Amino acid sequence: MSNITLRDISKALNISVSTVSRALTDSHEIGEETKKLVLAYAKEHNYVPNRMARSLKVGKTRSIGVVICSIDNSFVAQMLDGIDQICADSGYQIIIMQSKESYEQEKACINLLYASGVDGIMISPSFQTTDFSHLKELQTQGFPIVLFDRITEELDVHKVTANNIQGAYQATAHLISSGYTKIAHLSSKSTLAMTHERFEGYKQALAAHQVAYKEELVKFCNTSDPQNIDENVAKAMSELLKQKPQAIFTATDLLSTKVLTYLNEHHYKIPEDISLVGFSNSDLAPILNPPLSTVRQPSRQIGELAAQTLINLVKGKDIGPAQTVLLATELQVRKSSSK
């Protein structure tokens, strides 16, 4: 069956097409009785609005572009769930694209989303990204952009992320309170704020507990190349283990599971030989071998708040100057760090 049109409703109810259109969009210019009449007829006859025609008329597509590193990640999936819920509740569709940690692919994603007419873009930048000119150019045009999870000081836009300093401090302080003083730190090599903040939280916890910071116990591993991640992690771990650390704090979800695998493969007993705490939102953390102590981030809330912020910007609401919202983390202690 073909869809009925505004003109069909107009003829059936003997009112103008413009009145039908305003009634269907809940315009204050139309009386309640007329709205009820139009909506009832539209529902009875399965009226479906022509989204393309409406978007051309009002200059909005009611779609949001979302750029993430990879969908194959429990933390990212949880953020996307929050984003999808808020957008669906607000009548917006989302278009999800993956950078795969590639700067060039990230730029291609942004260009394609912008060309497709999305009303705004949410982005969690790739680890390779150091030049943000592709986003600055859109920002200067007044195009709505919100950064989430991974943020940078290069862009003066609204940002939503976890309190990375707090999370890293919690993890390191927990290891210190468990009696460890020789604590290694492994993080991703990146210019993004997340890397620096988690490193800072690690150092702050050492200083607060009068534990000496040792540069040789810190490694930054290239995780932006999917084909060489295992090799890069193995090299970093080999160098760290030469220092005979008592414990390791890993700063990303990916590194947490990679390091646990490496230690198991090299026959280290955890936590007897070495303890481990990582950042991870994986639901598998409690059933790994051994169960992994983690800093859990409020992933769904990050997605929800970032999505709501972008939708408010798209609607033209005055939400004040750009600000960074930091959401609290939670330390979940399991066997990997408890003797």
Side-chain angles (χ1 to χ4, degrees):
M1 294 178 62
S2 60
N3 292 333
I4 65 169
T5 66
L6 295 180
R7 192 170 298 280
D8 294 330
I9 299 175
S10 167
K11 289 181 178 179
L13 301 180
N14 195 29
I15 54 179
S16 69
V17 172
S18 61
T19 298
V20 174
S21 177
R22 291 190 181 97
L24 290 171
T25 56
D26 197 26
S27 170
H28 67 277
E29 299 175 308
I30 306 300
E32 290 302 317
E33 289 301 318
T34 302
K35 286 182 186 178
K36 289 180 182 178
L37 182 66
V38 171
L39 289 171
Y41 188 91
K43 182 177 181 180
E44 180 183 352
H45 293 82
N46 300 311
Y47 168 72
V48 178
N50 186 326
R51 286 177 52 84
M52 183 60 70
R54 175 162 177 76
S55 68
L56 290 173
K57 181 178 180 181
V58 302
K60 299 288 185 182
T61 61
R62 298 193 72 81
S63 61
I64 297 294
V66 182
V67 182
I68 42 91
C69 56
S70 174
I71 202 168
D72 186 22
N73 180 301
S74 58
F75 173 65
V76 172
Q78 291 160 15
M79 289 194 297
L80 288 175
D81 194 40
I83 291 169
D84 181 64
Q85 185 65 60
I86 293 298
C87 289
D89 290 347
S90 303
Y92 284 79
Q93 295 180 324
I94 60 174
I95 303 173
I96 303 169
M97 302 195 74
Q98 305 179 80
S99 68
K100 294 292 186 180
E101 302 292 16
S102 164
Y103 169 62
E104 292 300 327
Q105 188 162 326
E106 176 179 299
K107 288 197 299 181
C109 291
I110 295 296
N111 291 337
L112 183 57
L113 287 170
Y114 183 70
S116 70
V118 295
D119 297 334
I121 289 176
M122 301 173 57
I123 178 170
S124 181
S126 79
F127 276 138
Q128 281 188 4
T129 303
T130 57
D131 178 5
F132 293 87
S133 57
H134 57 304
L135 296 174
K136 289 180 180 178
E137 185 176 346
L138 294 183
Q139 184 189 11
T140 58
Q141 299 174 25
F143 187 77
I145 297 173
V146 171
L147 295 185
F148 68 105
D149 180 32
R150 301 174 179 179
I151 64 175
T152 175
E153 296 301 319
E154 294 289 318
L155 285 169
D156 184 28
V157 298
H158 288 276
K159 306 162 191 173
V160 183
T161 189
N163 190 329
N164 291 303
I165 293 179
Q166 176 199 43
Y169 187 102
Q170 288 172 326
T172 309
H174 160 64
L175 290 171
I176 295 171
S177 68
S178 298
Y180 303 112
T181 57
K182 202 172 182 181
I183 303 168
H185 176 54
L186 180 62
S187 188
S188 293
K189 186 180 293 183
S190 167
T191 60
L192 295 173
M194 178 186 75
T195 298
H196 305 298
E197 290 167 354
R198 294 179 184 179
F199 181 37
E200 181 62 27
Y202 162 77
K203 290 190 294 183
Q204 285 185 14
L206 293 179
H209 294 82
Q210 292 79 50
V211 176
Y213 166 73
K214 296 180 180 180
E215 187 175 347
E216 61 269 22
L217 287 174
V218 176
K219 293 292 177 184
F220 294 94
C221 179
N222 182 6
T223 58
S224 64
D225 182 0
Q227 295 183 344
N228 295 311
I229 288 177
D230 289 337
E231 179 183 340
N232 293 338
V233 170
K235 181 180 178 181
M237 284 298 295
S238 176
E239 293 173 355
L240 281 178
L241 291 171
K242 289 177 182 177
Q243 305 302 321
K244 300 187 183 302
Q246 300 167 310
I248 302 176
F249 161 49
T250 53
T252 72
D253 202 332
L254 177 65
L255 286 175
S256 300
T257 51
K258 293 289 185 184
V259 168
L260 181 62
T261 300
Y262 179 92
L263 291 173
N264 281 327
E265 288 177 348
H266 287 76
H267 310 295
Y268 281 85
K269 293 181 180 179
I270 309 169
E272 291 83 2
D273 296 334
I274 191 166
S275 284
L276 178 64
V277 178
F279 263 80
S280 179
N281 273 49
S282 173
D283 292 330
L284 297 177
I287 60 173
L288 294 174
N289 182 29
L292 180 64
S293 293
T294 59
V295 176
R296 189 173 181 88
Q297 303 168 81
S299 50
R300 185 181 177 89
Q301 292 92 328
I302 290 173
E304 290 174 342
L305 183 54
Q308 190 59 65
T309 300
L310 183 59
I311 289 172
N312 288 341
L313 290 173
V314 167
K315 289 181 175 180
K317 292 185 178 180
D318 183 6
I319 59 175
Q323 61 176 329
T324 299
V325 178
L326 303 179
L327 300 180
T329 57
E330 177 190 1
L331 177 66
Q332 298 182 333
V333 177
R334 301 187 179 93
K335 189 176 179 181
S336 71
S337 65
S338 302
K339 290 185 177 179

